[in-house]
Amino acid sequence: QVQLVESGGGVVQPGRSLRLSCAVSGFNFNSYGMHWVRQAPGKGLEWVAVISFDGTNKNYAESVKGRFTISRDYSKNTLLLQMDSLRVEDTAVYFCARDCGSYVYDYHGMDVWGQGTTVTVSS
Amino acid sequence: QSALTQPASVSGSPGQSITISCTGTSSDVGGYRYVSWFQQHPGKAPQLVIYDVSNRPSGVSYRFSGSKSGNTASLTISGLQAEDEADYYCGSYAGSSTPFVFGPGTRVTVL
């Protein structure tokens, strides 16, 4: 079945790095844009980053631009998020999600979500 | 601070209909037909209930419907049920530089 499974979360000190992974199964990974979305404790959803189906387009929220890098490994059907220079305000549950548009460079919404992985940035 | 605005809360009795609004600008909601709506129960991942303004994904109840007029999109839940009690977020494509934005969310309470 269609499934996204995140991993890599944990507790990290401010200024350090963390890499999140999202293992994809049950659909053609090559066909869909993929997002990272986060949710701070008790807060709403915040869009973080997106990578196009072919990996050529990458976009970021202003809050993470220059610190986070999204990528995808087609050989392993895996979405990645490299998070550098972490801040306390990056503390959140991070979800990976599939865009419901295929073979497009505009984004229609997220129709498949992982269960989330928790990132805590604290000294 | 969200680029989109939603009411903080909406409530209704079982069987009633409620509508949640999502107001943006011509750079997001008003400029594209790529508005989506998500339902989130506590401790769970969000679930898509509407995409492309008014399309329902397979498996989503017919009681959920979406529309848009100008810079404001709306989600209507008809025949309100206890299981509809959740947080609802709108989202919109916002162009090539910052492709996606969420609203702040609306807490739906079934009285």
Side-chain angles (χ1 to χ4, degrees), chain B residues 85-105:
Chain B
E85 189 161 288
D87 293 324
Y88 291 82
Y89 296 90
C90 63
S92 176
Y93 179 66
S96 58
S97 59
T98 306
F100 202 86
V101 291
F102 284 107

Side-chain angles (χ1 to χ4, degrees), chain A residues 39 44 59 106-108 110 114, chain B residues 34 38 40 45 48 52 93 96:
Chain A
Q39 188 168 34
N59 297 94
D106 47 27
Y107 301 106
H108 297 238
M110 302 83 170
Chain B
Y34 301 148
F38 305 87
Q40 187 181 33
L48 181 71
D52 291 355
Y93 179 66
S96 58

Side-chain angles (χ1 to χ4, degrees), chain B residues 3-4 22-32 68 70-72 92-94:
Chain B
L4 309 180
C22 172
T23 300
T25 69
S26 58
S27 296
D28 37 65
V29 172
Y32 309 94
K68 191 185 82 160
N71 295 338
T72 299
S92 176
Y93 179 66

